[in-house]
Amino acid sequence: MLTKKQHQLLMYIHERLRSTGVSPSFDEMKDALELRSKSGVHRLITALEERGFIRRLAHRARAIEVLRMPSGAEPPGKGFEPHVIEGEFSRSAPVRDGNELVALPLYGAIAAGTPIEALRDPGNFVDVPFSLLEKGEHFALEVAGDSMEDAGILDGDTAIIKRCEGAENGVIVVALIDEQEATLKRLRRKGNSVALEPANKAYETRIFPPTRVRVQGRLVGLMRRY
């Protein structure tokens, strides 16, 4: 999921590469996005690179390669293989084998005190059966700990998460607390409070005001190695 400025910069770089074959300079990007300084451009470039949308080529000045485009946007060109998996469930969409494997970006083990975005490794992916996915954008997450074991989610499992910004009561979600701590818990809302409920009696339910909790996705599938 991209911010407005990240999306604008990605589209600008893509259009410049398509029309001239050369990446725009930081000064050109700054002017195009009406930013005050090149440091703002650097932050946007870094964010796009961390999310796997672009790649800076080493030892080449002004060399940026667009790896993928946001869902619904025009792909960069021949041979483009998106890392974001968009489900195809309309009647006109081609029939896909449910056992077909698709590559999802794999985050590191979810851990207290670590923002989910900081766990992202753009070069790390996991093959997931298409049948586990829904329509929309997905990512995979390594589960660490036993706080959800009574829900059948064990330490070392790979959780398949659909990106979303909200979920119904009782749904297992990836929640970001205070923009710092990421956790996989069952979501409960009551009045002006949000409860993150474990599935293990050894752990306590944590309750927060809604302003402190941001849902980043919900659990749609689980994979396990024996």
Side-chain angles (χ1 to χ4, degrees):
M1 189 177 300
L2 298 178
T3 66
K4 181 179 179 180
K5 285 295 185 183
Q6 290 167 1
H7 185 274
Q8 288 177 344
L9 181 59
L10 180 61
M11 297 303 297
Y12 176 65
I13 294 171
H14 170 53
E15 290 298 327
R16 282 292 301 271
L17 286 172
R18 187 173 63 171
S19 60
T20 68
V22 179
S23 303
S25 66
F26 272 38
D27 281 324
E28 291 170 329
M29 290 186 242
K30 177 178 69 70
D31 294 341
L33 272 67
E34 298 181 347
L35 298 174
R36 293 183 177 180
S37 68
K38 288 189 287 187
S39 63
V41 174
H42 184 269
R43 286 193 295 270
L44 293 174
I45 289 288
T46 299
L48 289 173
E49 190 171 32
E50 289 176 348
R51 287 160 175 76
F53 286 92
I54 65 172
R55 177 173 61 192
R56 282 180 280 194
L57 304 179
H59 311 299
R60 293 175 59 185
R62 293 177 55 176
I64 296 176
E65 179 183 5
V66 176
L67 300 177
R68 64 185 178 100
M69 298 293 285
S71 177
E74 180 184 356
K78 186 177 180 181
F80 171 67
E81 296 180 0
H83 295 156
V84 174
I85 306 303
E86 185 71 27
E88 298 173 325
F89 295 95
S90 67
R91 291 185 179 181
S92 59
V95 176
R96 299 187 68 164
D97 182 353
N99 293 321
E100 178 183 346
L101 297 178
V102 292
L104 291 186
L106 175 66
Y107 287 59
I110 192 167
T114 306
I116 187 70
E117 293 297 335
L119 300 175
R120 180 66 176 272
D121 179 358
N124 202 8
F125 295 85
V126 60
D127 289 333
V128 175
F130 180 75
S131 59
L132 292 181
L133 306 181
E134 299 181 358
K135 183 176 177 62
E137 186 179 348
H138 298 72
F139 61 90
L141 181 70
E142 294 179 6
V143 178
D146 58 359
S147 67
M148 296 300 290
E149 66 177 14
D150 291 345
I153 303 171
L154 306 182
D155 182 54
D157 285 351
T158 299
I160 311 305
I161 308 297
K162 177 181 177 181
R163 285 191 183 273
C164 62
E165 297 180 353
E168 298 177 355
N169 274 343
V171 172
I172 296 175
V173 303
V174 174
L176 190 62
I177 304 168
D178 296 331
E179 300 297 321
Q180 292 185 334
E181 179 185 347
T183 186
L184 185 69
K185 294 292 185 290
R186 196 177 299 276
L187 179 72
R188 303 284 187 188
R189 289 192 180 92
K190 185 176 181 180
N192 291 324
S193 64
V194 174
L196 299 178
E197 180 182 278
N200 184 332
K201 293 181 180 179
Y203 295 83
E204 295 182 353
T205 296
R206 302 171 68 186
I207 300 175
F208 303 91
T211 54
R212 293 182 59 191
V213 177
R214 181 161 62 91
V215 173
Q216 294 194 308
R218 62 179 178 84
L219 181 71
V220 297
L222 200 66
M223 298 195 308
R224 180 174 302 152
R225 290 184 176 179
Y226 294 93

